[in-house]
């Protein structure tokens, strides 16, 4: 789907940056790259532009410009309701963090079962049942 | 020694620049463009260092003026050291520019500014970062002057052993192939040129083409397609991704997050400030209060300056001002005409410049506050979809609103727009907004000629001007000021409490240029008007017998087509000097309200107001237009545009009404 189609509060992971010339380059240099996580923050009162959070900072894009970005909708683990199964898409953090999560069986591609929703939440992985804190659950993205 | 400051916008670059150079700085423009160039000087242990503030940029592509200026400066002027000012609280994105700089220059000092804010978000290992990069890294808090001494010391004695930004093997291999050939062309830095030509950078491709090295271009194209095939995406996405992953890797290596999630103050403020329903009313209220503040506070100062120069008519007769006193005093040792020229011409002109000063300084005080605090970016976010229709980004509404106060600071305020074309469009539209002085004249004339409903008449003129500005903006943006339609990607920085020092420096920078340059133009114009109003010798100043009067008589036949009487024309000519003078001139010529009422029909009066709504901006506004664009052609365009609209509306109105036989 297109970035412009996400609603406030929703997350996406960038698949491809389209467009050409200035807009293409500008989006890339702001860090909108394949694999980056974007959150829709809010829409301007007049319907356009839209505010997004990316890599910890905030930018505003006109709808027209946001149609150049292809995304997949994802959800941070912290927002997943109880009793549902999800697949891990992305873990946002350095090598250490990814390793720690891996030790609990939370790694890209793995299936998790949420037993108790956030926070703290309990999830069942292929390595057992673990308690995941809010800070961690925020940085694991699933679908 | 030359040191250049580079960095993203909003990282505290100006703050650091000011801390380094103090007041020893000079603001100008980069050659040929309206982008501001700041240069300054400092001394470190007896070594003189020139500091150049490069435009704030996110990257160094060939797609924006600021980025081209920045990279060309580095390549051509070869500064000894580049200081990359990084907003440490937004480390990853800021490190991206560093990756681009690393390819251009080997001596870079990294300043981690806003270190105070960064420490709330993560622990940064400064020494590790310095070791990894092979560059001096200096943590700093610009607003408190922290880190400035260390930065100075590194400028003199820093050690540089920079790490290369490495691409994967199959890309490196291809870069090397091109790099060898570039070296033979003698272009430096060769690796950067090689990378850019592979990336199909338009400027670099052009440069190589100019050198006649078509073989390099062919090879580069071939290699580009190979890389695109290997990585399955376009070359720009691929190469930017590699540089970003360098930045990403470095970021995670040196910074350990303390606190993720949670609600920030900025988020809470934005909930209200950009609220669906309250956002726009809050914006209007803030603007209203700001203008109210400016004009209320400025008014007594303006009155005082006016009193000082021009004196005052009181019940007991005229209280002399500086102009009269100096005139009489000079009469004692010079002829009448010379004293009158110096005092009634030039000194009065100087008075006019000075009465503008309080408004200009206060407006820029407020504007700097709104900008530094981060609110201006929210205005852009709120108003964008309205302003977009007339070819402007959201911030374009601010100069237009300021125009209702005074066009002079409004034209200067177009500097908040970053795009060159949008600035020009905005400057061309601004004088069409009736300023306070014109509104005052309209209110006065409406009350004489339309006593039953003056407000409606005034309102009709304001609405007309807004409609014209909107449509003209729409047409201009599609025709003469059609930009490359730069994408509008706007950063919404966190709200910050601006410092008094930062604001005063901004305010001073902006006001000073106007006072110096525009001031001379205004004083000069005042002198010229004096000559035409006082000659030929012996006539009463500004009377129908003076040159201005004769001109008005001569042009009167044309004026009748617009319903303009000779007296109205004389008042318009003086209005060029300052619009509010129109009332004074009519009073001088007619002596009383009743005589003014008898001199025109109401249709003529309305036509006169229509003409006055648009005809040439006053001399101070023109000076500001020239000062901002540095173009005589553009200034002339603004004059002609005004006259054209004035003629169009007053002619149409007057013709229709005389044909209908009403009001004649
Ligand atoms: N907290 C904090 N604020 C800073 C620091 N340096 C600058 N600022 C503020 O950041 C804002 C932007 O600074 P400015 O120098 O205008 O940034 P520029 O756009 O990069 O030139 C201003 O409100 C400054 O007061 C710092 O080290 N810490």
């Amino acid at each position: 789907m297109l970035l412009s189609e996400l609603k406030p509060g929703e997350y996406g992971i960038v698949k491809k940056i389209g467009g050409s010339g200035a807009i293409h380059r500008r989006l890339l240099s702001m860090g909108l790259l394949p694999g980056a996580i974007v959150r829709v923050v809010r829409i301007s009162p007049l319907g356009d532009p839209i505010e997004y959070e990316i890599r910890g900072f905030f930018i505003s894009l006109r709808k027209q410009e946001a149609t150049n970005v292809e995304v997949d909708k994802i959800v941070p683990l912290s927002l997943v309701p109880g009793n549902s199964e999800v697949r891990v898409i992305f873990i946002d953090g350095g090598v250490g963090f990814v390793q720690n999560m891996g030790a609990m069986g939370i790694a890209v591609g793995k299936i998790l079962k949420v037993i108790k929703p956030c926070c703290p939440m309990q999830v069942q992985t292929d390595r057992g049942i673990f308690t995941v804190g809010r800070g961690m659950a925020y940085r694991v993205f699933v679908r | 020694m030359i040191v250049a400051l580079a960095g993203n916008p909003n990282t505290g670059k100006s703050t650091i620049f000011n801390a380094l150079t103090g007041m020893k700085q000079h603001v100008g423009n980069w050659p040929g463009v309206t982008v501001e160039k700041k240069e300054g000087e400092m001394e470190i242990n007896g070594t003189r260092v020139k500091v150049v503030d490069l435009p704030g940029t996110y990257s160094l592509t060939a797609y924006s003026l600021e980025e081209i200026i920045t990279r060309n400066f580095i390549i051509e002027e070869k500064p000894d050291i580049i200081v990359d000012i990084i907003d440490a609280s937004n480390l990853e994105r800021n490190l991206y520019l560093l990756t681009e700089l690393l390819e251009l220059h080997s001596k870079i000092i990294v300043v981690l500014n806003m270190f105070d804010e960064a420490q709330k978000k993560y622990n940064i290992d400064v020494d590790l970062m310095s070791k990894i990069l092979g560059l001096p890294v200096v943590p700093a808090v610009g607003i408190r002057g922290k880190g400035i001494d260390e930065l100075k010391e590194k400028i003199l004695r820093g050690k540089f052993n920079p790490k290369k930004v490495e691409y994967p093997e199959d890309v490196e291999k291809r870069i090397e192939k091109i790099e060898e050939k570039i070296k033979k062309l003698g272009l430096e830095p060769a690796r950067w040129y090689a990378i850019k030509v592979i990336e199909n950078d338009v400027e670099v491709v052009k440069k190589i083409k100019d050198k006649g090295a078509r073989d390099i271009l062919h090879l580069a194209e071939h290699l580009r397609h190979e890389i695109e095939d290997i990585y399955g995406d376009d070359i720009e996405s691929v190469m930017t991704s590699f540089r970003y992953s360098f930045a990403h890797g470095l970021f995670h290596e040196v910074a350990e997050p303390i606190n993720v999630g949670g609600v920030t103050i900025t988020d809470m403020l934005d909930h209200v400030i950009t609220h669906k329903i309250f956002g726009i009313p809050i914006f209007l209220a803030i603007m209203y209060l700001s203008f109210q503040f400016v004009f209320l506070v400025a008014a007594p100062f303006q009155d005082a300056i006016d009193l000082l120069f021009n004196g005052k008519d009181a019940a007991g007769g005229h209280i002399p001002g500086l102009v009269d006193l100096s005139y009489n005093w000079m009469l004692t040792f010079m002829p009448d005409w010379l004293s009158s020229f110096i005092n009634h011409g030039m000194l009065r002109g100087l008075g006019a410049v000075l009465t503008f000063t309080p408004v200009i300084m206060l407006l820029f005080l407020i504007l700097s506050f709104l900008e530094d605090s981060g609110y201006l970016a929210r205005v852009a976010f709120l108003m964008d979809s309205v302003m977009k229709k007339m070819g402007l980004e959201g911030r374009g509404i601010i100069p237009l609103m300021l125009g209702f106060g005074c066009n002079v600071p409004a034209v200067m305020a177009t500097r908040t727009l970053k795009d060159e074309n949008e600035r020009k469009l905005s400057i061309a539209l601004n004088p069409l907004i009736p300023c306070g002085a014109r509104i005052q004249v309209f209110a006065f004339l409406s009350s004489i000629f339309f006593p039953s409903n003056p407000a409606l008449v005034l309102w009709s003129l304001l609405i007309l001007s807004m409609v014209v500005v909107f449509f003209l903006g729409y047409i201009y943006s599609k025709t003469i000021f059609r930009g490359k339609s730069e994408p509008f990607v706007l950063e919404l920085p966190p709200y910050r409490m601006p410092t008094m020092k930062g604001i005063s420096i901004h305010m001073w920078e902006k006001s000073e240029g106007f006072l110096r340059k525009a001031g001379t133009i205004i004083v000069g114009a005042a002198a010229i008007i004096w000559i035409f109003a006082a000659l030929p010798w012996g006539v009463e100043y500004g009377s129908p017998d003076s040159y201005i009067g004769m001109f008005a008589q001569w042009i009167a036949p044309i004026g009748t087509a617009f319903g303009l009487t000779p007296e109205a024309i004389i008042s318009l000519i003086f209005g060029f000097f300052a619009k509010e003078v129109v009332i004074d001139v009519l009073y001088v010529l007619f002596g009383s309200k009743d005589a003014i009422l008898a001199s025109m029909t109401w249709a003529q009066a309305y036509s006169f107001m229509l003409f006055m709504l648009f005809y040439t901006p006053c001399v101070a506004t023109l000076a500001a237009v020239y000062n901002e664009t540095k173009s005589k052609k553009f200034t002339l365009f603004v004059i002609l545009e005004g006259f054209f609209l004035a003629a169009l509306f007053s002619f149409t109105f007057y013709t229709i009404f005389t044909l209908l036989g009403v009001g004649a």
Side-chain angles (χ1 to χ4, degrees):
Chain A
M1 70 194 294
L2 302 176
L3 180 56
S4 54
E5 293 164 350
L6 285 181
K7 294 188 185 59
E10 294 183 341
Y11 289 76
I13 183 166
V14 177
K15 267 166 58 186
K16 186 168 170 56
I17 305 293
S20 61
I23 180 64
H24 184 72
R25 276 325 285 252
R26 180 56 58 85
L27 292 172
L28 292 175
S29 47
M30 296 300 279
L32 271 167
L33 291 160
I37 306 286
V38 193
R39 177 171 73 98
V40 185
V41 182
R42 56 173 67 82
I43 300 179
S44 167
L46 298 171
D48 195 26
I50 305 170
E51 180 180 349
Y52 297 99
E53 179 180 2
I54 168 165
R55 296 178 199 263
F57 63 95
F58 298 85
I59 57 172
S60 133
L61 294 181
R62 287 176 178 163
K63 256 187 200 151
Q64 180 61 35
E65 291 157 353
T67 56
N68 288 315
V69 183
E70 258 179 64
V71 295
D72 274 332
K73 195 176 145 183
I74 52 172
V75 186
L77 188 56
S78 54
L79 296 184
V80 174
N83 246 333
S84 47
E85 263 190 24
V86 290
R87 179 191 290 273
V88 178
I89 304 292
F90 184 80
I91 297 176
D92 185 18
V95 185
F97 182 68
V98 173
Q99 267 169 5
N100 287 346
M101 299 309 286
M104 295 197 276
I106 299 177
V108 172
K110 291 260 174 91
I111 305 278
L112 313 175
K113 188 156 184 255
V114 176
I115 296 171
K116 187 185 156 295
C118 192
C119 286
M121 63 195 310
Q122 274 189 330
V123 293
Q124 181 166 22
T125 70
D126 56 1
R127 298 206 179 170
I129 294 179
F130 295 91
T131 303
V132 180
R134 183 192 171 87
M136 290 177 182
Y138 247 105
R139 292 157 68 187
V140 175
F141 291 90
V142 300
R143 186 157 48 210
Chain B
M1 178 147 131
I2 299 179
V3 172
L5 303 189
N8 284 188
N10 259 313
T11 53
K13 234 150 55 61
S14 325
T15 310
I16 302 265
F17 179 78
N18 292 331
L20 286 176
T21 61
M23 268 301 173
K24 277 195 203 152
Q25 45 177 281
H26 167 81
V27 187
N29 279 8
W30 290 90
V33 292
T34 59
V35 180
E36 214 167 69
K37 179 182 188 180
K38 281 199 286 187
E39 284 180 329
E41 248 180 51
M42 62 174 169
E43 224 181 71
I44 315 174
N45 298 342
T47 311
R48 276 164 63 103
V49 180
K50 188 168 133 183
V51 187
V52 179
D53 190 18
L54 297 170
T57 63
Y58 295 107
S59 60
L60 296 177
T61 66
Y63 283 108
S64 90
L65 211 52
E66 281 86 359
E67 300 186 18
I68 294 175
I69 289 171
T70 300
R71 57 191 228 180
N72 283 354
F73 181 85
I74 296 172
I75 296 171
E76 282 154 24
E77 311 287 322
K78 299 192 179 56
D80 298 276
I81 288 177
I82 295 179
V83 176
D84 182 13
I85 315 279
I86 279 182
D87 171 0
S89 67
N90 187 354
L91 196 54
E92 185 180 356
R93 212 262 328 277
N94 275 262
L95 284 175
Y96 179 72
L97 181 67
L98 180 63
T99 65
E100 296 226 45
L101 289 171
L102 277 169
E103 285 169 353
L104 269 178
H105 204 280
S106 58
K107 287 189 168 179
I108 301 174
I109 298 174
V110 178
V111 172
L112 296 177
N113 195 33
M114 314 236 176
F115 208 72
D116 52 338
E117 284 187 17
Q119 277 173 324
K120 292 177 203 150
K121 282 173 87 174
Y122 24 64
N123 292 318
I124 302 178
D125 189 336
V126 178
D127 293 332
L128 180 64
M129 188 167 170
S130 172
K131 217 165 82 191
I132 296 174
L133 285 168
L135 298 171
V137 178
V138 181
V141 182
I143 39 171
R144 268 178 251 131
K146 272 195 201 159
I148 301 297
D149 287 336
E150 192 184 344
L151 171 60
K152 285 185 178 170
E153 125 98 33
K154 296 288 187 216
I155 288 175
L156 277 196
R157 275 185 283 278
K159 300 227 171 8
F160 303 90
N161 184 17
K163 181 179 166 67
K164 202 164 83 173
V165 178
E166 290 202 40
Y167 297 85
E169 187 53 38
D170 38 16
V171 177
E172 280 293 337
K173 226 167 50 195
R174 292 176 170 85
I175 294 174
E176 273 162 35
K177 269 191 205 166
I178 301 266
E179 195 178 342
E180 272 166 40
K181 288 182 180 276
I182 298 269
K183 274 191 183 136
K184 285 184 201 133
L185 277 186
L187 289 175
E188 273 296 332
R191 182 176 159 86
W192 181 78
Y193 273 103
I195 293 169
K196 288 298 154 188
V197 72
I198 290 181
E199 281 182 35
N200 208 7
D201 179 287
V202 279
E203 294 267 310
V204 166
V205 166
K206 193 167 152 277
K207 201 161 186 173
I208 292 178
K209 202 183 267 169
D210 290 346
K211 290 221 167 217
R214 285 185 181 272
D215 58 320
I216 295 187
L217 296 181
H218 287 308
L219 179 61
E221 194 180 336
H222 177 70
L223 297 176
R224 181 181 321 133
H225 290 317
E226 284 182 355
I227 296 176
E228 287 180 336
D229 284 345
I230 298 173
Y231 291 95
D233 209 340
D234 64 276
I235 191 75
E236 292 171 334
S237 299
V238 174
M239 299 296 276
T240 312
S241 289
F242 291 141
R243 284 191 289 265
Y244 245 109
S245 53
F246 178 91
H248 184 79
L250 181 62
F251 166 63
H252 280 297
E253 224 164 317
V254 301
E256 184 196 333
I258 303 174
N259 227 333
V260 247
V263 182
T264 61
I265 294 177
T266 292
D267 205 36
M268 289 194 289
L269 280 173
D270 266 340
H271 251 300
V272 180
I273 284 175
T274 59
H275 187 270
K276 251 199 188 85
I277 297 162
F278 305 123
I280 291 177
I282 290 175
F283 161 65
L284 294 175
I286 290 181
M287 283 293 113
Y288 177 76
L289 290 177
S290 304
F291 294 174
Q292 201 67 355
F293 168 80
V294 168
F295 290 106
L296 271 182
V297 175
F301 288 102
Q302 285 185 293
D303 290 346
I305 294 170
D306 190 46
L307 183 70
L308 180 68
F309 275 84
N310 298 323
K312 190 176 158 190
D313 287 320
H318 186 75
I319 302 170
L322 214 52
V323 174
D324 305 301
L325 294 178
S326 157
Y327 168 74
N328 288 333
W329 172 67
M330 284 191 189
L331 273 185
T332 58
F333 57 89
M334 60 172 65
D336 186 12
W337 65 268
L338 186 58
S339 175
S340 175
F341 175 71
I342 292 177
N343 294 296
H344 295 146
M346 305 224 297
L347 191 59
R348 193 169 278 165
L350 183 68
V353 176
L354 288 180
T355 49
F356 274 110
T357 332
V359 180
I360 289 179
M361 306 233 323
L362 283 167
L363 266 175
F364 279 116
L365 182 82
I366 292 272
L367 221 53
S368 302
F369 183 88
L370 294 180
E371 184 160 15
D372 282 4
S373 64
Y375 185 66
L376 221 48
R378 270 68 185 189
V379 173
F381 182 68
L382 286 172
M383 301 311 295
D384 191 60
S385 60
V386 180
M387 302 308 291
K388 192 168 62 178
K389 297 201 177 65
M390 44 193 295
L392 295 172
E393 51 136 301
R395 271 172 294 202
I397 194 166
I398 290 192
L400 290 183
M401 291 181 79
L402 283 178
F404 286 108
C406 175
N407 300 112
V408 175
V411 165
M412 295 165 73
T414 57
R415 280 184 213 170
T416 47
L417 299 174
K418 301 298 173 239
D419 181 73
E420 173 109 0
N421 254 300
E422 289 190 17
R423 287 198 58 200
K424 286 191 171 156
L425 171 63
S426 183
I427 293 174
L429 293 180
N430 205 284
L432 307 177
I433 301 270
C435 59
R438 267 176 284 175
I439 293 176
Q440 197 182 317
V441 176
F442 296 150
F444 173 79
L445 289 174
S446 313
S447 69
I448 294 184
F449 287 94
F450 306 92
S452 57
N453 205 342
L456 183 69
V457 173
L458 185 57
W459 182 82
S460 74
L461 292 166
L462 294 185
I463 295 290
L464 175 70
S465 75
M466 286 192 249
V467 171
V468 166
V469 163
F470 188 83
F471 273 97
L472 217 54
Y474 179 79
I475 294 167
Y476 280 169
S477 66
K478 295 268 180 289
T479 52
I480 34 179
F481 296 114
R482 201 164 86 200
K484 282 177 299 185
S485 90
E486 272 223 22
F488 184 55
V489 179
L490 171 86
E491 188 181 356
L492 297 167
Y495 291 105
R496 295 196 175 95
M497 195 61 207
T499 61
M500 208 46 226
K501 192 175 160 209
I503 293 186
S504 342
I505 291 179
H506 279 174
M507 175 181 86
W508 179 244
E509 271 170 17
K510 284 168 184 157
S511 321
E512 185 239 43
F514 171 78
L515 295 175
R516 235 181 355 168
K517 295 190 207 106
T520 24
I521 300 178
I522 296 173
V523 174
I528 292 171
I529 290 223
W530 178 89
I531 292 175
F532 287 109
L535 295 180
W537 191 235
V539 301
E540 197 176 323
Y541 186 77
S543 71
D545 299 324
S546 66
Y547 281 133
I548 287 186
M550 287 192 240
F551 175 76
Q553 309 270 356
W554 174 74
I555 206 157
I558 302 177
T560 50
F562 307 101
L564 297 177
T565 62
E567 289 83 3
I569 295 176
I570 295 182
S571 72
L572 286 174
I573 295 174
F574 278 97
F576 172 62
F577 186 46
K579 298 284 164 91
E580 62 269 31
V581 171
V582 166
I583 302 176
D584 301 343
V585 174
L586 288 177
Y587 256 109
V588 169
L589 293 176
F590 289 109
S592 73
K593 254 190 193 180
D594 291 337
I596 296 175
L597 178 61
S599 73
M600 285 186 257
T601 66
W602 66 261
Q604 278 181 311
Y606 194 76
S607 186
F608 174 49
M609 286 193 269
L610 280 176
F611 200 89
M612 193 177 148
L613 183 59
F614 294 122
Y615 89 115
T616 178
C618 69
V619 58
T621 306
L622 284 178
V625 169
Y626 179 72
N627 200 25
E628 292 303 313
T629 58
K630 297 280 180 294
S631 160
K632 295 196 180 79
K633 233 170 74 186
F634 190 90
T635 313
L636 186 66
F637 169 79
V638 172
I639 297 176
L640 293 179
E641 166 198 67
F643 272 111
F644 173 79
L645 289 169
L648 178 74
F649 282 101
S650 74
F651 179 78
T652 315
F653 171 83
Y654 193 65
T655 312
I656 291 175
F657 273 73
T658 31
L659 284 180
L660 289 177
V662 264

